Amino acid sequence: MHTSRFIRSTRLDPSGAVLDLVSHPGRARASLYPRVMNGKPGGPGEPRSQAGEGPLSEPGAAAGEGERYGPLELRRLRKDDGRSLIVYSRVEREGVGPPR
Amino acid sequence: MSDLRFNELRGEPVAYAIHRQDRTFLPDRAHCPLDPTVPGGPATEIPLAAFEIVVFDNRFPAFESPEGAAEVVVYTDDHEGSLGALGLDRIEALMWVWRHRYQELGAREDVEYVYIFENRGVEVGVTLHHPHGQIYGYPFLPPVPALELAADERLGGCAPCVLLERERSEGRRLLFENEAVSAYVPEAARWPYEAHLAMRRHCPSLVSCEPQELRLLAEALRRLVRGYDALFDRPLPYVMAVHQAPTGAAAGRGHLHVEFYPPLRTAEKLKYLAGSEQGAGTFIGDVLPEEAAAALREAIERVS
């Protein structure tokens, strides 16, 4: 993809107005990185295990360690062609708490 | 790889993903790539004999790293059925999966907007019948969310909050409410039976929702899509669009709501996007939103 040719973006100016930007070659991309989502540093959104690590647990995929996210457990696998596969299972049925 | 261009006359990006011409198209029942892989059967996208919910990188992506993402979300290992046929616990789990993907994709530098959606029915271009949705991580802010931000400016605050307040005070197009979510046909619906589910509290995204709100959103989703299937006594095709706050430069702006665009205007007749809609950008409606709301309320009541 050739998004470097332009990036269409929208950002706020100090007064709160939306600025509609079309940046062309040579213009800097509006950026607020590195980002932390909604003030939850170190939250479950940050990948904690790399897919492809660990022993093969399923034919056609390599498995990582299980992680918890709210009422879910997730396992990150890597398919034979390198694509990511995440398997989600519900581990809590009641009394769902915030994500860990 | 995709090619992204900018249509100057329309003022909008156009993505060319020509490799998608070869994507799997309505395979026979025995070769569904979203089924589990069973011993002795063909290998599918999911090398597991059973699963609850899985998410994987689209084999034919419109966007991909390092310039965006395209993922497939499979709701169940049961080939038959639909979002509305799932149990409430499973739909609630799906809300957490959406939340997780929004949070994780939204933290990526190459993703400006996380868009969760479902195309249901061949009428809206479904190529696989197995119950599933998709997620695009756009490397730019797409036009529709940008328009919603512009509506915030026009209305002097959060547009979905303002519109929800209007719908609740008028009441004629309300479908139902629970403790966290309101369902309504918008005053200027573009599609004959368009409906929106909006969080009553100002939640920019799924990440802002409390666990109980996610449960109530799941409950509302289930109620609406079951009502849709009761409307014409057939599985109703639709596009489901989850709108949330952008995750890039405009992060934090927005209000979580889910929009449904069913293309049917009767049990058999499609609403086509024809001359006025495509060439002038003005939808010509066949059903008044108030009448659509009354019909939907009755259908929802029948299956609740």
Side-chain angles (χ1 to χ4, degrees):
Chain A
M1 201 185 307
H2 305 297
T3 45
S4 55
R5 286 166 36 198
F6 77 87
I7 293 290
R8 181 177 172 80
S9 188
T10 302
R11 69 178 179 186
L12 305 178
D13 73 7
S15 69
V18 174
L19 299 179
D20 200 13
L21 302 177
V22 179
S23 54
H24 292 277
R27 285 178 70 172
R29 179 180 181 178
S31 182
L32 294 174
Y33 305 115
R35 281 189 223 135
V36 175
M37 295 293 293
N38 286 340
K40 293 181 185 294
E46 295 184 7
R48 287 179 292 193
S49 66
Q50 292 298 312
E53 291 177 350
L56 274 174
S57 63
E58 307 288 347
E65 292 294 314
E67 303 169 34
R68 287 295 301 273
Y69 187 81
L72 306 178
E73 181 178 88
L74 63 105
R75 277 190 306 146
R76 297 177 192 271
L77 312 179
R78 185 70 72 183
K79 290 161 66 68
D80 284 345
D81 60 7
R83 285 180 293 142
S84 162
L85 171 70
I86 308 176
V87 182
Y88 295 88
S89 306
R90 186 160 186 147
V91 292
E92 290 177 7
R93 298 284 163 188
E94 294 180 0
V96 174
R100 288 178 260 171
Chain B
M1 297 295 285
S2 298
D3 184 19
L4 190 62
R5 302 183 183 183
F6 189 71
N7 183 318
E8 294 287 0
L9 272 181
R10 295 269 181 162
E12 65 190 20
V14 180
Y16 296 88
I18 58 175
H19 52 282
R20 286 175 54 77
Q21 275 283 45
D22 298 324
R23 67 187 181 276
T24 311
F25 182 76
L26 298 174
D28 62 54
R29 174 68 189 83
H31 294 89
C32 174
L34 305 186
D35 276 358
T37 298
V38 297
T44 73
E45 286 279 24
I46 303 143
L48 305 166
F51 60 85
E52 293 180 29
I53 298 173
V54 298
V55 174
F56 59 86
D57 289 336
N58 197 318
R59 185 178 164 203
F60 302 97
F63 303 99
E64 61 188 314
S65 179
E67 292 180 322
E71 297 184 335
V72 177
V73 184
V74 185
Y75 303 160
T76 169
D77 59 7
D78 182 0
H79 181 84
E80 309 298 336
S82 64
L83 177 62
L86 299 174
L88 183 56
D89 280 350
R90 177 62 59 86
I91 302 177
E92 182 188 25
L94 181 63
M95 299 302 98
W96 285 92
V97 170
W98 286 357
R99 185 186 197 275
H100 180 249
R101 298 319 299 148
Y102 175 84
Q103 199 166 18
E104 200 159 276
L105 291 173
R108 276 173 41 173
E109 293 198 10
D110 61 336
V111 173
E112 294 281 313
Y113 190 80
V114 179
Y115 176 49
I116 298 165
F117 64 100
E118 178 188 343
N119 299 326
R120 185 196 188 200
V122 292
E123 295 88 345
V124 297
V126 153
T127 55
L128 300 172
H129 287 304
H130 194 114
H132 74 286
Q134 299 184 62
I135 304 175
Y136 279 3
Y138 288 89
F140 54 87
L141 184 67
V144 171
L147 285 171
E148 291 191 350
L149 295 186
D152 289 352
E153 302 305 317
R154 202 167 57 244
L155 295 174
C158 169
C161 281
V162 171
L163 297 172
L164 179 58
E165 186 54 40
R166 285 186 193 169
E167 293 293 346
R168 296 191 77 204
S169 62
E170 191 172 340
R172 290 192 298 161
R173 291 173 297 274
L174 267 185
L175 299 177
F176 62 85
E177 293 188 313
N178 63 26
E179 292 87 341
V181 180
S182 295
Y184 63 92
V185 176
E187 180 185 16
R190 299 158 90 230
W191 297 92
Y193 292 93
E194 179 173 336
H196 294 188
L197 297 175
M199 304 304 294
R200 273 209 301 289
R201 192 168 68 82
H202 179 73
C203 300
S205 74
L206 290 155
V207 176
S208 325
C209 291
E210 296 296 327
Q212 182 61 14
E213 289 175 316
L214 294 179
R215 174 91 178 175
L216 290 163
L217 177 59
E219 193 178 280
L221 277 168
R222 186 166 186 258
R223 195 170 174 193
L224 178 59
V225 294
R226 287 163 67 94
Y228 267 151
D229 286 354
L231 180 65
F232 296 130
D233 202 22
R234 57 161 286 187
L236 195 77
Y238 58 72
V239 170
M240 176 186 71
V242 181
H243 287 174
Q244 303 185 72
T247 56
R253 299 280 306 275
H255 181 130
L256 170 61
H257 63 285
V258 185
E259 302 189 358
F260 285 82
Y261 319 132
L264 290 184
R265 57 189 173 90
T266 71
E268 289 93 22
K269 292 176 186 163
L270 279 169
K271 161 68 182 170
Y272 288 101
L273 299 192
S276 183
E277 289 84 2
Q278 293 199 50
T282 299
F283 272 66
I284 309 294
D286 300 290
V287 182
L288 273 177
E290 292 74 24
E291 292 169 8
L296 277 171
R297 272 195 302 269
E298 191 275 329
I300 291 164
E301 190 62 32
R302 251 188 294 142
V303 290
S304 291

